[in-house]
């Protein structure tokens, strides 16, 4: 919390002094009423020339500062959100859209060229688009509104939304079909079906939520406010009952003293910080590029007991990667690597690129079985590329004589593919499947991997050189993260459409607690409902339309921004970075929010103990000398004691604002240990800090002649 942020938030804090705003916080509204009463009393005393006017004015000033500081904490938190909203608003620009219309509708002058049979384009303002309209976006165009790609594939710059400079691919027919208004198409051409009307786009909702305009109080926050209101009512009754008792004893305090007593005894610290804690929790999520549609979702994340994670793209990289080459007997491993690389040079799939990447450092100077490589391996025009097809289940190259990788006199055929397909290919050309290759295929399959065979044919007899082991690789650090979740008391379940063997292998490697293989959307939904029936709170990530029912049913559903509109609408959080593992961070932020609120509540209530020892002896020590024993702080005078307590009560709010915004650090420990630490640090600390603070303030206040 910098000085600049504080000064910028002051005007908003002053505006929040409006009673219609303050009434939503029972504690601070009570302080506001007390400040008004003290102001009237001070003016009356000043007009009458009473010596008590100076003391009353000092108390009144600090009571008003208490109200202002309470508003300041919320204003600073909201100021952060407004700054983020301004940066998001900069991405929302008014653009012209190329809307697709039937060809029979005459396009206005300036309309773009036709789209083909039956369609034309018309230029319209992006704000005029309606749900269901179809627009065309090409390289350099801004996407006019939220939608789903229904034709084409393009590279899109989403840095204005996510802050990530690297472009992303958006394409039709998959789980990465969603585009957001305000992003820019960098290459190619896409056709988009609009899914959000003007003013209701994803960016509009983000701005409203970040600014806090639609922030609703969470159940825990409501419960805490009820508790604080109840405590306030109790202390109001106690102070009101104190007046006639004090009058009977001949020691009736002034209204200013009674208000000071009330303000110091009610939980003003936590009452002032509750809104800031909630807003800061949302802010921490946004700093992680996660948008929560409600504070309830953030709090619920802190109580999650079951976490469902999709295997593909979450626990694993999502694309099978080459992890090992297993050569047949008598085959140089470098020869197998070089041949596998050759077979994948024209393969643009993630699997093909991973084979080239793995083979490059292992190939050495050796080429295919026919001889060493004497020159660069290039896809020259005379090289015939054999594309993969469902019929052949193989791909590769036909290298002509004279190619650097083919020193022979005939065409060299290089193939890689499914084991059964490559074995059939080799046998048709006089080859056979070596026993060790067959064993390698069975072993790789048994561990959940995918075996690919590599073969060559130079016109004589085909040879199977060995096996490529493809595996869905677990992301680094996942095992440690799941162990951390287990320490939090969270059970992890991996969801996958893979067979049980593959799922079991990945689950064992990753360290999840359970897994569900060959899962359908109905299966995911049933797992969530089963966990909820057992009294557990469930969180889930997803990005596809088939994930939407489960995302809606989960207590916390996190959709990927790259996913479909259906998934984002069903979830109560959206990850702008499309990083499924971030759900683990979301759980930590939710727990931090709950711990922060609990810790500061403990500190606030504990504060009252010290204030009691400061004010009560000051009020009645003159009438009842025995109460002087309670003045264990040795405060200078009744007036300095009361004013010191009021000043401390105001200053402690400001000192705790950074902690409320930053949050109490969460540690993955048991609930019992967390409670013990909370009581030791914030309970005992809340008792000790006021004794020290009030004493030092009293020493300074005693120097004021009219008070000390």
């Amino acid at each position: 919390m910098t000085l600049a942020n504080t000064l910028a938030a002051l005007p908003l804090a002053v505006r929040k002094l409006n009673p219609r705003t303050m009434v939503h916080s029972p504690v601070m509204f009570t302080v506001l009423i007390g400040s008004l009463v003290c102001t009237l009393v001070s003016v009356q005393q000043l007009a009458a020339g009473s010596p008590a006017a100076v003391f009353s004015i000092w108390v009144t000033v600090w009571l008003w500062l208490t109200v202002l500081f309470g508003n300041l904490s919320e204003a600073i938190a909201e100021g952060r959100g407004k700054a983020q909203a301004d940066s998001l608003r900069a991405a929302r620009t008014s653009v012209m859209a190329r809307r697709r219309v039937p060809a029979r509708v005459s396009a206005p002058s300036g309309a773009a060229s036709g789209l083909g049979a039956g369609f034309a384009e018309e230029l319209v303002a992006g704000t005029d688009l309606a749900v269901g309209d179809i627009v065309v976006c090409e390289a350099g165009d801004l996407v006019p509104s939220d939608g789903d790609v229904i034709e084409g594939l393009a590279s899109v710059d989403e840095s204005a939304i996510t802050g990530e400079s690297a472009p992303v691919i958006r394409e039709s027919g998959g789980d990465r079909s969603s585009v957001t208004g305000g992003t820019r198409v960098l290459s190619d051409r896409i056709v988009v079906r609009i899914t959000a009307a003007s003013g209701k786009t994803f960016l509009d909702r983000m701005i409203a939520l970040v600014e806090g305009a639609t922030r609703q109080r969470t159940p825990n926050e409501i419960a805490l406010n009820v508790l604080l209101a109840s405590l306030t009512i109790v202390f109001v009754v106690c102070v009101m009952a104190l007046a006639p008792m004090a009058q009977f004893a001949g020691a009736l305090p002034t209204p200013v003293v009674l208000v000071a007593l009330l303000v110091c005894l009610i939980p003003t610290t936590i009452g002032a910080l509750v809104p800031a804690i909630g807003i800061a929790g949302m802010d921490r999520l946004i700093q992680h590029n996660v948008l929560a549609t409600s504070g309830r979702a953030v709090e619920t994340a802190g109580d999650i007991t079951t976490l469902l994670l999709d295997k593909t793209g979450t626990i694993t990289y999502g694309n099978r990667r080459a992890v090992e080459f297993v050569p047949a007997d008598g085959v140089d491993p470098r020869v197998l690597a070089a041949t596998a690389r050759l077979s994948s040079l024209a393969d643009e799939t993630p699997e093909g690129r991973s084979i080239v990447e793995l083979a490059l450092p292992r190939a050495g100077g050796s080429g295919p079985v026919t001889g060493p490589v004497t020159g660069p391996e290039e896809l020259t025009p005379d090289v015939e590329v054999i594309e993969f097809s469902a019929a052949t289940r193989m791909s590769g190259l036909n290298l002509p004589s004279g190619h650097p990788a083919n020193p022979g006199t005939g065409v060299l055929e290089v193939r890689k593919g499914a084991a059964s397909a490559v074995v059939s290919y080799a046998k048709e050309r006089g080859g056979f499947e070596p026993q060790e290759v067959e064993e390698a295929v069975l072993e790789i399959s048994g561990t959940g991997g995918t075996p690919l065979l590599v073969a060559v044919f130079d016109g004589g007899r085909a040879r199977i050189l060995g096996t490529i082991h493809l595996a869905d690789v677990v992301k680094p650090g996942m095992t440690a993260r799941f162990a951390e979740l287990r320490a939090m008391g969270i059970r992890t379940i991996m969801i996958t459409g893979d067979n049980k063997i593959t799922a079991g292998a990945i689950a064992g490697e990753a360290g999840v607690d359970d897994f569900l293989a060959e899962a359908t959307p109905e299966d995911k939904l049933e797992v969530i409902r089963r966990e909820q029936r057992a009294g557990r709170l469930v969180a889930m990530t997803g990005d596809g339309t088939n994930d939407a029912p489960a995302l809606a049913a989960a207590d916390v559903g996190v959709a990927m921004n790259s996913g479909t509109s259906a998934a984002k609408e069903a979830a109560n959080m959206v990850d702008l970075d499309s990083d499924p593992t971030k759900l683990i961070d979301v759980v930590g932020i939710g727990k931090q929010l709950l711990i922060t609120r609990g810790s500061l509540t403990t500190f606030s209530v504990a504060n009252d103990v010290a204030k009691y020892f400061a004010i009560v002896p000051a009020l009645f020590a003159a009438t009842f000398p025995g109460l002087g024993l309670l003045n264990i702080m040795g405060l200078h005078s009744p007036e300095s004691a009361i004013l010191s307590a009021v000043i401390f009560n105001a200053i402690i709010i400001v000192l705790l604002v950074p902690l409320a915004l930053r949050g109490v650090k969460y540690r993955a420990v048991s609930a019992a240990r967390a409670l013990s630490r909370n009581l030791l640090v914030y309970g005992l600390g809340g008792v000790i800090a006021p004794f020290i603070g009030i004493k030092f303030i009293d020493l300074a206040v005693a120097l004021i002649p009219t008070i000390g």
Side-chain angles (χ1 to χ4, degrees), residues 230-292:
S230 302
L231 290 175
T232 301
I233 293 172
V234 168
F235 282 116
V236 167
V237 172
C238 289
V239 171
M240 291 176 64
L242 189 64
M245 294 171 58
Q247 185 178 19
F248 179 78
L252 178 64
T254 66
V256 172
V257 172
L258 290 175
V259 170
L261 174 63
L262 173 64
V263 170
C264 288
L265 292 184
I266 62 177
T268 51
T269 305
I270 187 60
L273 297 177
V274 162
I277 295 170
I279 296 173
M282 301 278 285
D283 179 65
R284 281 192 291 276
L285 268 186
I286 294 168
Q287 289 174 8
H288 282 73
N289 260 3
V290 177
L291 174 66

Side-chain angles (χ1 to χ4, degrees), residues 326-561:
V326 183
D329 289 348
V331 176
D332 189 334
R334 295 176 300 168
V335 170
L336 173 60
T339 308
R341 178 172 179 267
L342 271 177
S343 69
S344 303
L345 284 178
D347 187 350
E348 293 299 326
T349 65
E351 292 86 352
R353 289 194 294 270
S354 74
I355 292 173
V356 174
E357 181 182 345
L358 181 67
L360 192 59
R362 305 188 182 199
S366 298
V369 71
T370 51
V373 176
T374 57
E377 299 172 357
E378 297 178 343
L379 292 175
T380 55
D382 54 350
V383 173
E384 181 184 1
V385 176
I386 308 300
E387 301 284 354
F388 176 86
S389 71
T392 63
R393 295 186 296 153
M394 291 189 303
S395 63
L397 303 174
N398 287 343
L399 305 174
S401 176
H403 188 278
N406 179 18
T409 57
V411 175
L412 175 65
E413 297 182 5
V414 179
R415 298 288 187 273
K416 79 167 189 300
S420 58
V422 174
V423 169
S424 297
Y425 167 85
K427 288 182 177 179
E428 290 173 1
R429 289 158 178 75
F432 64 95
E433 180 183 16
Q435 179 66 29
E436 64 275 9
V437 171
E438 182 179 2
E439 292 173 355
V441 168
L442 293 175
E443 181 179 353
I444 293 171
S445 300
T447 60
T450 302
L452 298 180
L453 299 188
V454 178
V456 293
F457 175 65
D458 58 1
R461 188 180 68 175
R463 287 191 59 189
I464 297 178
L465 303 183
T467 311
I468 304 172
H469 182 179
L470 295 181
D472 201 354
V473 180
V474 174
K475 294 179 179 179
M478 291 305 298
T479 303
R481 302 203 78 174
F482 288 136
E484 182 181 349
L485 285 170
R486 200 170 293 111
M488 296 180 190
I490 298 174
R491 179 168 170 261
T492 53
I493 302 177
M494 183 185 78
I495 307 293
T496 178
D498 288 342
N499 61 66
K500 291 184 178 181
I501 294 177
T502 301
I506 295 294
E509 183 180 355
V512 295
D513 298 312
D514 199 359
F515 68 91
L516 177 65
E518 300 175 351
T520 64
E522 293 76 14
D523 293 334
K524 297 177 184 179
L525 200 56
E526 177 55 33
V527 170
I528 292 174
R529 288 172 175 167
R530 184 186 68 212
E531 293 292 315
Q532 290 172 334
R533 285 195 297 268
R536 304 184 183 99
L537 293 178
V538 183
M540 178 185 170
T541 61
D543 58 3
T545 300
N546 64 337
D547 292 325
L551 287 171
D555 298 286
V556 176
V558 182
M560 303 297 102
N561 188 42

Side-chain angles (χ1 to χ4, degrees), residues 92-167:
R92 187 178 60 183
T93 57
S94 178
V95 299
M96 297 300 291
R98 296 161 54 188
R99 182 166 61 186
R100 191 166 77 174
V101 295
R104 65 177 178 271
V105 176
S106 58
S109 59
S113 58
L115 286 171
F119 295 105
E121 295 177 12
E122 64 176 359
L123 295 178
V124 299
T127 53
D128 294 337
L129 293 172
V131 175
D133 282 349
I134 295 176
V135 299
V136 178
C137 299
E138 295 183 340
D141 292 344
L142 284 172
V143 178
S145 186
D146 296 355
D148 288 329
V149 179
I150 59 174
E151 293 180 21
L153 174 149
S155 176
V156 179
D157 177 11
E158 295 185 343
S159 58
I161 307 297
T162 67
E164 176 57 54
S165 59

Side-chain angles (χ1 to χ4, degrees), residues 187-242:
S187 68
D188 302 296
R189 172 183 178 277
I190 52 176
V191 179
V192 178
R193 177 183 289 113
I194 301 301
T195 58
S198 177
K200 298 182 179 179
T201 65
F202 181 64
L203 197 57
D204 291 320
R205 286 190 293 139
M206 282 181 62
I207 292 171
L209 288 164
V210 168
E211 286 182 322
T214 60
R215 193 183 83 89
Q216 297 178 346
R217 296 183 185 273
T218 65
N220 282 343
E221 194 172 344
I222 293 173
L224 181 57
N225 274 316
V226 170
L227 173 63
L228 297 181
S230 302
L231 290 175
T232 301
I233 293 172
V234 168
F235 282 116
V236 167
V237 172
C238 289
V239 171
M240 291 176 64
L242 189 64

